[in-house]
Amino acid sequence: MEGLESFDKAAWTKKMLHIFYDIYIKAIVMGMRPNTHFDKTGWKFLITSFKEQISHAFSKTQLKNKWDGCKKDWRIWNKLVSETGVGWNSEIGTITASDEWWKQEIQEIRGAKKFRHVGLPTGSDVDPGTNNADIVDDGLEEDNCDSEEDVIPDF
């Protein structure tokens, strides 16, 4: 049984997210995700590499939950930037729209409120001026945290 610290919710910094994404992509490039999910070697690589780079151990479940949360955020953010009537503030990486627009979107899209004053928590320069049609439906399917399915959104 894992220690109690594995049940604490982690405070993810921008640096941790960058490391997380880099390791995730490296594992895929190395062939540790032969289909839609990581194999045992892949999960071991992710857990070990992440621990080595941030000096804190996370369980498979914690890393999987984080990835699922990132996918969910990506879907919400992508839906918001795909709407008509929005602009983009590239200086601070946020969506610009009227208060009325935000009020409506927050009511219609669960989770939209978190993007009212901040962008995606990737730390990357995600510019919605690119053609989102290419990435809207890139295999991101709803799943629960027990699922083994993982896909990479094009951040």
Side-chain angles (χ1 to χ4, degrees), residues 86-153:
V86 299
W88 181 251
N89 183 330
S90 58
E91 258 184 54
I92 57 175
T94 59
I95 298 167
T96 56
S98 69
D99 290 338
E100 295 80 26
W101 183 90
W102 274 109
K103 185 177 179 180
Q104 179 180 342
E105 295 303 311
I106 289 169
Q107 288 178 354
E108 291 179 9
I109 303 172
R110 185 175 179 204
K113 186 176 183 178
K114 71 167 62 176
F115 297 110
R116 174 69 172 99
H117 299 288
V118 297
L120 273 177
T122 63
S124 64
D125 295 324
V126 179
D127 186 350
T130 59
N131 186 356
N132 285 333
D134 295 337
I135 56 179
V136 170
D137 187 23
D138 64 352
L140 294 178
E141 299 175 12
E142 289 293 330
D143 60 352
N144 62 39
C145 295
D146 295 331
S147 171
E148 287 291 335
E149 182 178 344
D150 286 305
V151 290
I152 296 181

Side-chain angles (χ1 to χ4, degrees), residues 15-155:
K15 180 180 178 181
M16 289 169 68
L17 282 171
H18 279 283
I19 291 168
F20 178 66
Y21 297 141
D22 288 345
I23 293 169
Y24 195 99
I25 292 167
K26 185 176 181 181
I28 292 170
V29 169
M30 293 171 62
M32 296 178 185
R33 196 183 107 181
N35 295 305
T36 59
H37 62 278
F38 283 109
D39 55 22
K40 288 181 181 183
T41 305
W43 279 112
K44 185 175 182 181
F45 174 80
L46 288 171
I47 292 165
T48 304
S49 298
F50 200 63
K51 181 180 180 181
E52 288 172 358
Q53 291 192 38
I54 68 157
S55 302
H56 182 77
F58 286 97
S59 68
K60 173 185 172 183
T61 301
Q62 288 174 309
L63 294 178
K64 177 74 171 97
N65 287 346
K66 183 60 180 175
W67 187 251
D68 289 344
C70 291
K71 290 190 304 185
K72 182 179 177 184
D73 284 350
W74 169 254
R75 285 185 204 102
I76 295 167
W77 183 85
N78 196 45
K79 186 171 184 172
L80 290 170
V81 299
S82 298
E83 293 283 328
T84 305
V86 299
W88 181 251
N89 183 330
S90 58
E91 258 184 54
I92 57 175
T94 59
I95 298 167
T96 56
S98 69
D99 290 338
E100 295 80 26
W101 183 90
W102 274 109
K103 185 177 179 180
Q104 179 180 342
E105 295 303 311
I106 289 169
Q107 288 178 354
E108 291 179 9
I109 303 172
R110 185 175 179 204
K113 186 176 183 178
K114 71 167 62 176
F115 297 110
R116 174 69 172 99
H117 299 288
V118 297
L120 273 177
T122 63
S124 64
D125 295 324
V126 179
D127 186 350
T130 59
N131 186 356
N132 285 333
D134 295 337
I135 56 179
V136 170
D137 187 23
D138 64 352
L140 294 178
E141 299 175 12
E142 289 293 330
D143 60 352
N144 62 39
C145 295
D146 295 331
S147 171
E148 287 291 335
E149 182 178 344
D150 286 305
V151 290
I152 296 181
D154 185 3
F155 290 156

